[in-house]
Amino acid sequence: MAGSGAIQMRDSDEVVLRVESLVMEFPAGRNQVVHAVSDVSFDVCRGETLGIVGESGCGKSTTARALVQLPRPTSGTVTLDPGTDGQVELTGIEGEALRSVRPRVQMIFQDPISSLNPRRRVRDIIGEGLTIWQDQHPDVDVDARVDEVLRAVGLDPVVAASRRPHEFSGGQCQRISIARALAIDPEILICDEPVSALDVSVQAQVLNILEEMKERFGLTLVFISHDLTVVRNVSDRVVVMYLGKVCEIGNSDSLFSEPAHPYTRVLLASAPEPSTVVDASEAAIGDEVPSPINPPSGCRFRTRCPRVTELCASAEPVMREMGPDHFVACHLPGPA
Amino acid sequence: MATPLLSVTDLQVGFATERGLLRAVDGVSFDLAEGQTLGIVGESGSGKSVTAKTLMNLLPSYARVEGSVMFDGRDVRAMAAERERHFWGVEMTMVFQDPMTSLNPVKKVGEQIAESLRVHLKRSRREARDDAGDLLQQVGVPESKKRLTQYPHELSGGLRQRVVIAMALACSPRLLIADEPTTALDVTVQKHILDLLDELREERGMAMILITHDLGVVKGRADQIMVMYAGRTMEQADTATLFSEMRHPYTEALLETIPRVDMASHSRLVPIPGSPPDAVDLGQGCPFAERCRYCSASCLIDQPSLEQHRQGHACACHAPVGTDAGAAAHAANHETGVTPAGLDMGTFATAVGEKT
């Protein structure tokens, strides 16, 4: 579970977001440190959807927040448009410079109700970003833009704009969150568990809207979820994380048809309707995730791994190539 | 079937609201035999949790309950009226969705498990503590002796849910109701908890009611499935029949809306359009009519009753999936492009079996 190594990085002009050796640590008192994200590297190409999947506590949300510098990562770099003239290193700028780049990367959160201010009307919630954005884009008509994004997510502006969040269902609130994120025309949309709090029937509505918006507004998505089936549905490329490290990264088709990391295989076998490429018995692992304060030596997954050997405790596995655009950090990868 | 352990007949639960009576559960009936599992499936607000709470006598006093609930020949509602407190928590117990809120945060885990043993089975403090340790071991908690003296916040979500299950099993219940027991847990833990419940049911020969919004969860685990919508039973059958010959359009829609691992990336999902109806004002037709692609004119005015079209398979629909009536209604809606309820058929353009 190393994630050390950068063999998975692509050298393409199409890369819009590059994350290198991202480390996020939090103090935990008594001189202890929570290693939430440790040396994670990945990149996202224009128009692509990158899925990040893992259990609670694996660092997927922390990674997402580090991308928008909320808070700033302990070390590592996050770069927009790397290798072009417009290259911006988010980790290297602050203050007004960072603020002026923020509209390019927007975020939607898991709980649609708590992420909307209950006292404000929908029009003001969506328009707030625009009124700030106006400094740079004086010709934008705020009301017209709010109407446009509301219509885009399938809400009627006449009915919806003057209401407050409590008058909407969870699915509708999530649409409002999406509209708010889209209002200032971002390039990258980071979705942190956007459908986990929704009912199954509404989940499909929201996923379909995200796909539509992606096409219509030319978005690049980073999609975080603990649900493999959802990630499978939306992603072009998938990152599997465990305890702050990347286990496996690759294009969606080969990762799901030939999962190489034992942890990915466990996840696939644990789904309510398990994937056919893994054996149901592969789900049998202990359910205790070790503490990120004292992560295991070597491979972080070794305490729960069915294939563990002595090597796993002493050496941290380095990313290696399993096939075209399919990389894994494991000493003993491949089918069981 | 011999006399069932639990027999619910025409259960109705209503709540008075300012706008009128909210029918949370409307005419639900089922039988459950010893050692069997019933899966109750539906969206939020479909009445599945209210059904469970009615059985557990956990509804607020202002709830209006009608119908009969018989447990092994005893009238459960009469026992509720007589405050027969040695029934719930002993013969019938429940596991809730969120393990953190169902545990007392300021009491040690061991004491919480021991409490029901001491109250209901009159065990001494020491006996109860030893039994609590054994129970924790049975539900697969490692280092169970040490855990007894820990507080809930020291345990992970999966362990907490195991503690809650241990509490529910303490008095060897004959019926265990699990209300979304794994929704708050990670996938890897989810499977373990569901498998554990299944093993315990088998070992102890208890009956189980498993409530979930995910048909996939009950597929391999329940003997019978009841699909609920707007407080009513839409379809009821044994598991194999339900999946092989599903008849209700709502059941079909529920299955289609869930993404599967074996689907290709970016395959468009088939959402269930609209949102669940207002339970205060259900109107006179089928509650699902407005979201249904098999909707016909009669669905809007005439509420279909739950009918058994063959032994053990009941469905409340005028035009069930896989019948001539269903095919005709569907074809007619396709022809006009809108259903009688005003739903654009284009919403389903990508649905399985939907030809444009």
Side-chain angles (χ1 to χ4, degrees):
Chain A
M1 190 95 7
S4 29
I7 187 176
Q8 72 274 27
M9 305 302 273
R10 292 168 291 187
D11 183 25
S12 154
D13 296 342
E14 287 296 300
V15 172
V16 286
L17 177 72
R18 176 170 290 158
V19 178
E20 279 169 301
S21 311
L22 187 75
V23 176
M24 195 67 147
E25 289 170 351
F26 300 102
R30 289 184 228 143
N31 288 326
Q32 296 189 95
V33 172
V34 175
H35 302 271
V37 177
S38 309
D39 196 6
V40 163
S41 304
F42 58 85
D43 52 21
V44 192
C45 285
R46 195 175 306 282
E48 189 176 64
T49 301
L50 178 81
I52 303 183
V53 68
E55 286 171 277
S56 357
C58 74
K60 51 192 195 304
S61 291
T62 311
T63 305
R65 305 181 72 118
L67 297 183
V68 289
Q69 312 295 304
L70 282 173
R72 222 163 247 285
T74 312
S75 70
T77 58
V78 177
T79 316
L80 285 181
D81 291 335
T84 66
D85 298 341
Q87 171 170 338
V88 187
E89 196 187 308
L90 292 178
T91 36
I93 55 173
E94 52 186 53
E96 191 51 44
L98 179 59
R99 197 153 31 240
S100 69
V101 186
R102 280 206 198 275
R104 296 172 62 185
V105 188
Q106 285 293 306
M107 193 154 175
I108 53 179
F109 299 91
Q110 174 168 1
D111 184 349
I113 298 172
S114 67
S115 60
L116 300 176
N117 186 336
R119 292 169 178 271
R120 305 192 68 191
R121 294 179 193 280
V122 168
R123 178 174 300 284
D124 303 328
I125 291 173
I126 298 175
E128 181 172 22
L130 281 169
T131 50
I132 300 167
W133 198 50
Q134 249 176 341
D135 300 346
Q136 290 174 44
H137 304 263
D139 51 336
V140 68
D141 178 349
V142 174
D143 281 345
R145 180 70 183 168
V146 170
D147 289 355
E148 184 192 342
V149 289
L150 271 176
R151 251 181 248 117
V153 296
L155 293 171
D156 181 0
V158 180
V159 183
S162 58
R163 296 195 178 176
R164 294 193 170 86
H166 74 90
E167 296 176 78
F168 296 92
S169 67
Q172 288 169 324
C173 283
Q174 199 58 291
R175 290 171 192 232
I176 295 168
S177 300
I178 296 172
R180 172 176 61 179
L182 294 177
I184 46 179
D185 202 15
E187 291 162 39
I188 300 170
L189 187 61
I190 297 169
C191 314
D192 188 3
E193 303 256 13
V195 293
S196 314
L198 306 177
D199 241 315
V200 277
S201 66
V202 182
Q203 169 178 306
Q205 293 175 5
V206 171
L207 289 176
N208 283 344
I209 283 180
L210 280 173
E211 286 280 339
E212 265 165 43
M213 295 304 110
K214 189 183 155 195
E215 221 148 86
R216 179 161 166 185
F217 293 90
L219 295 169
T220 303
L221 293 187
V222 176
F223 190 100
I224 291 155
S225 178
H226 66 274
D227 188 339
L228 273 175
T229 54
V230 170
V231 167
R232 168 71 176 133
N233 182 265
V234 299
S235 310
D236 300 300
R237 204 158 188 254
V238 176
V239 175
V240 181
M241 284 186 73
Y242 181 80
L243 212 59
K245 294 272 187 183
V246 175
C247 306
E248 192 164 1
I249 182 167
N251 71 63
S252 195
D253 291 332
S254 63
L255 190 135
F256 281 98
S257 60
E258 293 159 29
H261 199 286
Y263 180 61
T264 314
R265 302 183 70 86
V266 166
L267 285 180
L268 283 169
S270 303
E273 287 183 69
S275 163
T276 47
V277 300
V278 291
D279 193 67
S281 64
E282 290 186 59
I285 60 164
D287 46 307
E288 284 307 282
V289 183
S291 159
I293 294 176
N294 282 312
S297 65
C299 172
R300 290 194 179 178
F301 184 57
R302 71 179 165 86
T303 54
R304 296 168 80 193
C305 184
R307 302 184 193 170
V308 63
T309 63
E310 277 170 29
L311 176 65
C312 303
S314 55
E316 189 178 22
V318 174
M319 275 289 170
R320 62 165 100 170
E321 189 165 3
M322 287 303 288
D325 193 25
H326 186 177
F327 307 88
V328 64
C330 180
H331 292 302
L332 306 154
Chain B
M1 187 169 19
T3 333
L5 178 69
L6 178 74
S7 177
V8 175
T9 319
D10 197 22
L11 184 69
Q12 314 239 3
V13 183
F15 297 97
T17 68
E18 284 170 18
R19 295 184 299 131
L21 188 69
L22 185 151
R23 292 181 188 280
V25 177
D26 192 0
V28 164
S29 305
F30 60 86
D31 286 338
L32 182 60
E34 217 136 357
Q36 298 265 301
T37 304
L38 168 75
I40 304 184
V41 184
E43 289 173 83
S44 325
S46 60
K48 50 196 200 306
S49 291
V50 175
T51 305
K53 284 184 179 164
T54 314
L55 300 180
M56 284 302 291
N57 190 28
L58 288 173
L59 289 180
S61 55
Y62 53 81
R64 299 185 192 167
V65 184
E66 271 166 63
S68 99
V69 181
M70 300 297 285
F71 184 91
D72 196 19
R74 282 177 288 171
D75 186 340
V76 173
R77 292 193 48 221
M79 282 194 280
E82 289 159 20
R83 300 175 187 263
E84 182 60 78
R85 59 191 287 257
H86 289 298
F87 174 73
W88 292 280
V90 182
E91 302 205 39
M92 190 197 285
T93 57
M94 184 157 170
V95 173
F96 298 89
Q97 175 171 353
D98 183 355
M100 195 62 214
T101 50
S102 43
L103 290 169
N104 184 339
V106 296
K107 239 176 136 182
K108 286 175 187 158
V109 161
E111 290 172 28
Q112 299 192 47
I113 302 171
E115 184 181 2
S116 62
L117 290 166
R118 281 160 47 85
V119 171
H120 294 303
L121 304 184
K122 311 282 182 233
R123 296 279 161 80
S124 73
R125 204 172 275 274
R126 174 178 297 242
E127 281 170 352
R129 197 186 54 218
D130 291 347
D131 285 357
D134 294 345
L135 279 163
L136 277 186
Q137 209 163 7
Q138 282 178 42
V139 296
V141 174
E143 303 168 83
S144 50
K145 284 281 175 290
K146 184 182 124 199
R147 304 288 178 193
L148 288 175
T149 56
Q150 287 186 321
Y151 290 94
H153 74 90
E154 296 176 83
L155 308 178
S156 68
L159 278 185
R160 278 179 211 148
Q161 195 61 298
R162 286 175 194 263
V163 169
V164 174
I165 294 173
M167 284 168 67
L169 293 176
C171 301
S172 306
R174 296 167 71 191
L175 170 65
L176 178 73
I177 303 174
D179 187 359
E180 306 252 11
T182 57
T183 313
L185 305 175
D186 268 314
V187 267
T188 48
V189 184
Q190 217 176 71
K191 188 174 155 58
H192 292 176
I193 297 285
L194 290 169
D195 288 347
L196 171 73
L197 285 171
D198 218 29
E199 279 163 29
L200 292 165
R201 179 194 55 78
E202 186 130 355
E203 259 172 49
R204 295 164 170 247
M206 350 175 250
M208 189 156 84
I209 297 180
L210 186 59
I211 296 174
T212 172
H213 64 267
D214 189 346
L215 268 172
V217 166
V218 286
K219 192 173 184 178
R221 295 188 167 85
D223 299 295
Q224 289 174 64
I225 293 177
M226 180 164 90
V227 179
M228 287 185 72
Y229 185 78
R232 294 182 191 154
T233 305
M234 293 280 120
E235 188 164 11
Q236 206 167 357
D238 63 84
T239 309
T241 315
L242 188 88
F243 282 97
S244 61
E245 302 165 36
M246 90 181 32
R247 286 173 76 89
H248 203 287
Y250 179 60
T251 318
E252 186 188 60
L254 262 186
L255 255 194
E256 280 178 1
T257 194
I258 306 171
R260 289 189 312 270
V261 183
D262 53 9
M263 274 161 62
S265 289
H266 304 294
S267 29
R268 244 185 96 89
L269 299 168
V270 190
I272 306 177
S275 44
D278 182 356
V280 175
D281 180 23
L282 275 179
Q284 46 185 332
C286 168
F288 188 60
E290 287 185 3
R291 309 171 77 187
C292 181
R293 67 183 110 130
Y294 296 86
C295 177
S296 60
S298 61
C299 299
L300 295 176
I301 44 170
D302 180 21
Q303 183 192 328
S305 54
L306 190 68
E307 270 164 37
Q308 250 191 29
H309 66 94
R310 53 166 249 221
Q311 187 58 34
H313 190 175
C315 171
C317 184
H318 290 307
V321 181
T323 62
D324 292 344
H330 188 233
N333 288 340
H334 223 291
E335 199 71 25
T336 54
V338 285
T339 69
L343 183 69
D344 182 4
M345 288 295 280
T347 329
F348 301 109
T350 48
V352 185
E354 201 71 37
K355 291 161 202 84
T356 38

